[in-house]
Amino acid sequence: MESSSSWSRALVQISPYTFSAIGIAIAIGVSVLGAAWGIFITGSSLIGAAIKAPRITSKNLISVIFCEAVAIYGVIVAIILQTKLESVPTSQIYAPESLRAGYSIFASGIIVGFANLVCGLCVGIIGSSCALSDAQNSTLFVKILVIEIFGSALGLFGVIVGIIMSAQASWPSKNA
Amino acid sequence: MYGFEALTFNIHSGYLEAIVRGHRSGLLTAADYNNLCQCETLDDIKMHLSATEYGPYLQNEPSPLHTTTIVEKCTLKLVDEYKHMLSQATEPLSTFLQYITYGHMIDNVVLIVTGTLHERDVHELLEKCHPLGMFDSIATLAVAQNMRELYRLVLVDTPLAPYFSECITSEDLDDMNIEIMRNTLYKAYLEDFYDFCQKLGGATAEIMSDLLAFEADRRAVNITINSIGTELTRDDRRKLYSNFGLLYPYGHEELAVCEDIDQVRGVMEKYPPYQTIFAKLSYGESQMLDKAFYEEEVKRLCLAFEQQFHYGVFFAYMRLREQEIRNLMWVSECVAQNQKSRVHDSVVFIF
């Protein structure tokens, strides 16, 4: 019999809806953090470099678009996750099935949020270097863009795993 | 933390770094220098330069051009770019940018004091001062008779004040003392700049340490060579060397006792980075030493641009511009004096 003040008891007593809600918040919030971080890193270099080389502005907006895509992934996953939330009767809230569903939505949110955070950062830093190199030598743009594409794939991995994770979140049915 | 500057550098300094890299792309290339070396008159030089970024600065100059006018206008361009960057910079970049100009401030102070000693007119001297090193009370330097007055009247309000503690003596200013004062001030300035860069940490500290160490070592060699045969004692010479750099401390011990250039060469050849410089000179030759040092400096400055997200690019850009202005001055002088065969003696190609 566990002692009444163990951590495992405290964690198990937290409602699965809390975990789910926090997961959804992290999915969108941290993704947008990553996207914003990436955009300002790219944007400040792009503006400065475009003063001497105005031709780079239109092409290098692709870097900003890649960062923005990261935020869109976060929004999509948050919307998907919130459709997974279902109400269960009070007696079922702490049933193992409910806890499992709550935890999987939470985990999905963390996966997507943090994968998008680092993806946004990665694309942002590469986008900054891309803008500066393009200003000096325009043949470099396409080559560095390939690196950015690989970087943005990281966000996609996070989204895929997050969606798979939340797909198997099934709350117990209403009749116990 | 070294390695993670990319995450936060662009918040304050991303725009300026991009601007300074844009300026770098406007430096004259080898093809430009070849064109300039082919010129017959100063007007040809003006015409070639009007196709480069110096165009707007030179186009309004009336036709009998002097080399000093060309150099002055090119320096004006550098000053405009510097002021633009300084006005946009936040701490600590603004302090860093100001540190870059203290060397010129020291040169201006010494210029005015020496000129006053030789009874020149203050206004004439003020025109010869480098614009990057001007400060408000510079004209009152002409009034000072010895170092204490110099400090008390003028320099205590300038950023050079902390560098004076080591060189205030009660002696009157004469040529020898002024040179020692210049070198002591510069030593204190380099050490202060080095400590500031170390405090900034990260990539800035690493790259600037290398560049400043090279500067300190180069000055040590120049001090040694210039003081061979003068009354400067060995201890005085030791006191003028900075306390960082590749040569510190053992190289300085050996340099302090050198009595001629071959001994200096013997000391420097023990250090692999400087061995390559001295290998280019044959025995007994010291005129090409300046050019060899400039070439090595330019190589290191260009390497500073290879990394992103640090302040070393600003320092490197200012130094490369100054080298370019030196090149333009040399080319203009050779053309004006009809000695085009000597043009390649002192032009250091940057790209």
Side-chain angles (χ1 to χ4, degrees):
Chain A
M1 189 67 179
E2 318 140 34
S3 69
S4 58
S5 64
S6 70
W7 279 104
S8 55
R9 266 191 92 115
L11 284 173
V12 162
Q13 295 284 10
I14 300 179
S15 159
Y17 292 114
T18 312
F19 277 111
S20 313
I22 292 179
I24 296 173
I26 290 179
I28 179 66
V30 178
S31 301
V32 168
L33 173 65
W37 204 329
I39 290 179
F40 86 66
I41 293 180
T42 298
S44 50
S45 292
L46 183 52
I47 292 176
I51 290 181
K52 263 296 162 58
R55 59 181 165 81
I56 68 171
T57 42
S58 28
K59 277 203 294 191
N60 279 279
L61 283 177
I62 289 185
S63 308
V64 179
I65 291 174
F66 274 129
C67 287
E68 178 72 19
V70 155
I72 293 177
Y73 299 156
V75 172
I76 292 175
V77 170
I79 292 178
I80 291 176
L81 289 181
Q82 64 85 30
T83 60
K84 298 275 176 214
L85 281 177
E86 290 170 18
S87 293
V88 295
T90 321
S91 57
Q92 297 274 324
I93 288 186
Y94 293 102
E97 280 297 311
S98 292
L99 293 179
R100 176 183 180 233
Y103 295 155
S104 65
I105 294 180
F106 177 61
S108 174
I110 291 186
I111 291 169
V112 169
F114 286 95
N116 284 339
L117 171 66
V118 291
C119 173
L121 272 174
C122 170
V123 174
I125 295 174
I126 299 176
S128 158
S129 305
C130 184
L132 294 177
S133 321
D134 190 16
Q136 304 267 353
N137 180 359
S138 49
T139 59
L140 290 173
F141 176 72
V142 177
K143 302 184 167 101
I144 300 183
L145 198 63
V146 173
I147 306 178
E148 269 189 69
I149 292 173
F150 278 109
S152 71
L154 300 173
L156 268 174
F157 298 158
V159 169
I160 292 171
V161 173
I163 291 186
I164 293 175
M165 190 72 189
S166 67
Q168 43 89 42
S170 51
W171 301 85
S173 49
K174 293 232 185 321
N175 27 341
Chain B
M1 200 179 10
Y2 193 6
F4 290 90
E5 290 104 3
L7 300 179
T8 50
F9 184 85
N10 274 9
I11 299 176
H12 292 296
S13 318
Y15 172 70
L16 282 176
E17 181 186 3
I19 289 208
V20 92
R21 282 177 186 268
H23 287 320
R24 171 201 184 261
S25 65
L27 286 171
L28 299 178
T29 61
D32 290 318
Y33 283 122
N34 282 331
N35 281 342
L36 288 174
C37 293
Q38 311 274 0
C39 289
E40 298 288 336
T41 68
L42 290 179
D43 285 325
D44 283 345
I45 289 190
K46 176 181 161 186
M47 192 181 70
H48 276 116
L49 283 180
S50 58
T52 68
E53 295 199 345
Y54 288 111
Y57 287 85
L58 283 176
Q59 67 190 15
N60 291 329
E61 292 304 308
S63 201
L65 270 184
H66 296 283
T67 55
T68 47
T69 320
I70 295 182
V71 171
E72 205 182 293
K73 294 298 167 195
C74 295
T75 313
L76 192 58
K77 177 174 190 292
L78 173 60
V79 172
D80 282 344
E81 288 171 359
Y82 173 78
K83 289 206 168 113
H84 174 236
M85 288 196 288
L86 186 60
S87 64
Q88 300 263 3
T90 62
E91 291 294 332
L93 179 56
S94 49
T95 310
F96 186 89
L97 286 175
Q98 283 167 336
Y99 263 101
I100 300 179
T101 60
Y102 293 166
H104 290 297
M105 247 186 236
I106 294 174
D107 286 338
N108 285 352
V109 166
V110 170
L111 180 75
I112 291 194
V113 169
T114 317
T116 312
L117 199 65
H118 294 208
E119 321 254 325
R120 297 252 195 315
D121 180 37
V122 169
H123 294 290
E124 204 184 295
L125 293 170
L126 281 178
E127 278 172 29
K128 290 205 182 145
C129 284
H130 197 283
L132 280 179
M134 297 298 270
F135 50 94
D136 284 334
S137 43
I138 194 169
T140 48
L141 280 173
V143 175
Q145 302 287 353
N146 61 30
M147 284 191 209
R148 260 188 223 292
E149 270 187 24
L150 201 62
Y151 179 70
R152 197 171 50 82
L153 288 180
V154 182
L155 292 164
V156 67
D157 290 326
T158 64
L160 298 178
Y163 307 148
F164 262 81
S165 56
E166 292 182 29
C167 69
I168 293 190
T169 63
S170 307
E171 293 171 18
D172 278 341
L173 299 165
D174 64 30
D175 279 318
M176 177 76 149
N177 288 345
I178 292 179
E179 275 308 302
I180 295 185
M181 179 176 87
R182 181 210 295 268
N183 283 313
T184 319
L185 283 179
Y186 210 93
K187 167 192 169 180
Y189 154 62
L190 273 184
E191 287 170 10
D192 193 23
F193 198 1
Y194 184 80
D195 288 336
F196 176 70
C197 292
Q198 293 296 104
K199 262 200 300 243
L200 288 176
T204 304
E206 178 167 323
I207 292 174
M208 286 306 295
S209 304
D210 183 53
L211 293 174
L212 290 177
F214 180 76
E215 175 81 14
D217 292 338
R218 181 175 72 161
R219 285 192 80 87
V221 171
N222 282 335
I223 289 173
T224 312
I225 293 184
N226 290 338
S227 62
I228 291 175
T230 64
E231 332 166 314
L232 196 64
T233 64
R234 287 176 184 185
D235 286 332
D236 281 342
R237 208 197 270 180
R238 288 270 336 266
K239 276 196 281 208
L240 294 177
Y241 297 150
S242 303
N243 63 358
F244 64 94
L246 204 55
L247 292 175
Y248 170 79
Y250 306 113
H252 289 160
E253 304 269 341
E254 295 183 19
L255 275 180
V257 299
C258 283
E259 294 300 332
D260 66 44
I261 302 219
D262 290 325
Q263 285 182 0
V264 171
R265 172 197 289 274
V267 171
M268 298 302 282
E269 279 181 348
K270 296 193 191 122
Y271 295 89
Y274 303 128
Q275 193 176 22
T276 47
I277 297 179
F278 279 80
K280 291 190 209 165
L281 313 170
S282 47
Y283 272 96
E285 192 187 296
S286 74
Q287 303 95 313
M288 302 302 281
L289 185 61
D290 274 345
K291 184 176 181 200
F293 270 127
Y294 281 138
E295 280 174 353
E296 179 71 19
E297 186 188 13
V298 161
K299 214 165 43 159
R300 290 180 190 221
L301 291 172
C302 287
L303 284 177
F305 284 93
E306 300 291 311
Q307 203 169 335
Q308 215 180 328
F309 310 121
H310 62 88
Y311 294 150
V313 287
F314 296 97
F315 178 79
Y317 171 69
M318 301 289 289
R319 283 296 166 97
L320 284 173
R321 245 321 156 203
E322 286 167 19
Q323 178 61 44
E324 182 176 278
I325 293 176
R326 273 196 289 268
N327 286 347
L328 282 176
M329 182 174 76
W330 180 261
V331 169
S332 310
E333 288 286 348
C334 285
V335 163
Q337 295 175 15
N338 254 325
Q339 296 210 15
K340 287 177 40 186
S341 53
R342 294 196 55 198
V343 154
H344 287 284
D345 279 351
S346 191
V347 171
V348 178
F349 292 133
I350 298 180
F351 298 125

